[in-house]
Amino acid sequence: MAKTTKVGIIGIGFIGSDHLNRLTKTIANVDVTAVCDIVPGKAQKVLDEQGLEAKDYADYHELINDPEVEVVVCTASNEAHYEIVMAALKAGKFCFCEKPLALDAKQCMDVVEEEQKHGRRMLQVGFMRHYAPEYVQLKHIIDSGQIGAPLMADCRHYNQTQPEEYDSTRSIIETAIHEIDVMHWLLNDDYKNIKVYLPKQTRHVQNKNIRDPQIVVMETKSGINISVEVFVRCQYGYDIKCDVVGEEGVAELPTVPQVALRKDAKYSTEILTDWKARFESAYDIEFRDFIAHVSEDKSPVGPSAWDGYIAAVTADAALKSIEEGGKTQDLDIPESPKFYQE
Ligand code: ISE
């Protein structure tokens, strides 16, 4: 019989409650033993809504130190990732941390160093697009040479449902970070520089701390140009695009298919509005893979702390570009250490 893996989840917000549901209803052989949220009563409310029972800790240290918790899932707010992940690693527990791994490259490097003390990988970062079947197919097409050498890529990352307090920093470290991560994986090429353009501001912003939309432009070491339109106050839905243009053809990421409707002299299809629904299967596959490894006391093999680190180096440079009025920032991404090459 397969062994049951005992998981503790820290942070029961949007994605935390989604992963709680996933780990208890969709992924086999997982027991969510404990949960924790900084807001009193929040985790218990979600447990009740989902018809679940688990220990509800007010302090995440207690959850991490609970001998019954074998694996820590960190879905807390971005600011809390660093301390939680460091505490989980220090306690010698496998850890899954939602993206971004931490707030900046310096914090991510501390995590990389802490993990290496264990002599093997202990952590996986939630860059779930690596598991999305359509991104995997896109990568196979690029790797097989069908479109020839990639020359440029055109990406869109539009959100409709971000909270009012969302700011420009989050647009980079929480939204654009997906393209920052996935594009160098797709293209097998590191970044040489990054620059952020700020087009005309939408009237739909709710606070003064956000510039929206933004266009993030990256160049890889071999000269591939990637542009990413980030628009978190999009009014029509959640829309992800990734077209890769090669010397011999173009590979396009599909839009998630929806039933077409012929009605009232119109032929229409819906566009999803919720990012969790758009990437639902990617999240499922991601957790199945993570649990399959850690349940057998094997290191996770998905996106690593090093991937989190290089995404953070690139995101830091994007924030600097915004600060400096769109100035191009050169990047010097170091070679991946041997530890992360296996
Ligand atoms: C959210 O945290 C995600 O990961 C979504 O994929 C992204 O579209 C959204 O902008 C983020 O806030």
Side-chain angles (χ1 to χ4, degrees):
M1 222 177 72
K3 177 187 167 288
T4 298
T5 304
K6 294 189 172 147
V7 173
I9 308 181
I10 303 173
I12 309 294
F14 286 123
I15 194 66
S17 43
D18 208 50
H19 288 340
L20 171 66
N21 189 54
R22 169 168 294 108
L23 284 164
T24 50
K25 316 247 164 55
T26 309
I27 313 295
N29 306 316
V30 172
D31 177 11
V32 176
T33 314
V35 292
C36 169
D37 195 279
I38 193 168
V39 179
K42 188 167 170 189
Q44 189 56 53
K45 185 166 174 275
V46 176
L47 287 173
D48 293 344
E49 282 163 6
Q50 298 190 11
L52 301 169
E53 280 180 19
K55 286 180 251 185
D56 178 11
Y57 287 112
D59 178 347
Y60 74 80
H61 294 100
E62 286 178 26
L63 178 146
I64 290 174
N65 294 323
D66 180 337
E68 272 207 318
V69 170
E70 296 167 317
V71 175
V72 175
V73 170
C74 171
T75 42
S77 60
N78 300 336
E79 299 71 39
H81 288 188
Y82 173 68
E83 284 185 8
I84 293 170
V85 164
M86 290 294 276
L89 289 177
K90 286 194 168 125
K93 301 209 169 165
F94 284 119
C95 182
F96 177 95
C97 180
E98 262 307 335
K99 37 61 58 179
L101 172 57
L103 288 181
D104 57 25
K106 157 95 189 51
Q107 288 188 345
C108 291
M109 184 45 89
D110 285 354
V111 174
V112 160
E113 285 170 359
E114 187 59 43
E115 184 180 35
Q116 293 196 28
K117 291 182 189 160
H118 292 271
R120 62 172 181 154
R121 275 194 57 190
M122 301 293 291
L123 183 113
Q124 177 160 331
V125 180
F127 286 128
M128 78 299 182
R129 291 188 185 185
H130 295 227
Y131 291 96
E134 65 278 19
Y135 271 103
V136 172
Q137 197 183 359
L138 188 56
K139 180 157 177 61
H140 283 158
I141 288 173
I142 296 167
D143 288 349
S144 68
Q146 288 182 64
I147 60 164
L151 306 173
M152 52 189 175
D154 185 15
C155 309
R156 176 193 295 143
H157 192 152
Y158 291 1
N159 275 255
Q160 195 193 12
T161 55
Q162 296 297 18
E164 279 192 15
E165 68 279 7
Y166 214 80
D167 61 14
S168 290
T169 302
R170 285 176 75 180
S171 292
I172 297 292
I173 70 164
E174 189 182 309
T175 296
I177 198 100
H178 280 294
E179 276 78 14
I180 289 174
D181 164 69
V182 88
M183 293 314 293
H184 80 92
W185 172 74
L186 276 179
L187 298 167
N188 304 307
D189 203 355
D190 280 334
Y191 301 125
K192 187 160 72 182
N193 58 51
I194 187 163
K195 164 183 179 100
V196 181
Y197 291 87
L198 300 176
K200 183 173 174 182
Q201 176 89 322
T202 170
R203 70 186 171 89
H204 294 293
V205 292
Q206 279 123 334
N207 71 66
K208 60 177 179 15
N209 298 325
I210 185 159
R211 276 300 307 247
D212 193 48
Q214 305 178 352
I215 306 175
V216 178
V217 177
M218 299 177 282
E219 186 184 351
T220 67
K221 286 187 175 159
S222 78
I224 306 170
N225 263 266
I226 302 155
S227 78
V228 187
E229 291 172 17
V230 181
F231 191 13
V232 301
R233 292 277 169 243
C234 168
Q235 298 298 297
Y236 70 79
Y238 183 64
D239 204 2
I240 302 295
K241 163 179 159 175
C242 178
D243 289 359
V244 180
V245 180
E247 281 174 338
E248 317 299 334
V250 174
E252 286 183 27
L253 191 81
T255 298
V256 179
Q258 302 292 304
V259 168
L261 190 62
R262 291 164 194 270
K263 199 177 168 203
D264 298 334
K266 282 198 194 98
Y267 177 79
S268 58
T269 56
E270 275 185 30
I271 292 179
L272 294 175
T273 54
D274 180 0
W275 47 270
K276 296 188 296 306
R278 165 66 182 80
F279 284 106
E280 188 179 4
S281 61
Y283 289 124
D284 290 348
I285 302 169
E286 166 189 64
F287 267 102
R288 230 167 256 136
D289 181 57
F290 174 72
I291 294 292
H293 285 85
V294 298
S295 65
E296 293 189 11
D297 194 32
K298 290 187 187 146
S299 287
V301 295
S304 67
W306 185 255
D307 292 311
Y309 168 71
I310 56 178
V313 170
T314 312
D316 285 355
L319 292 174
K320 189 141 185 249
S321 175
I322 296 177
E323 215 179 281
E324 296 184 355
K327 203 169 153 232
T328 301
Q329 306 292 321
D330 289 332
L331 289 161
D332 189 13
I333 308 241
E335 269 274 302
S336 160
K338 258 217 162 71
F339 183 88
Y340 291 104
Q341 284 176 16
E342 275 114 46

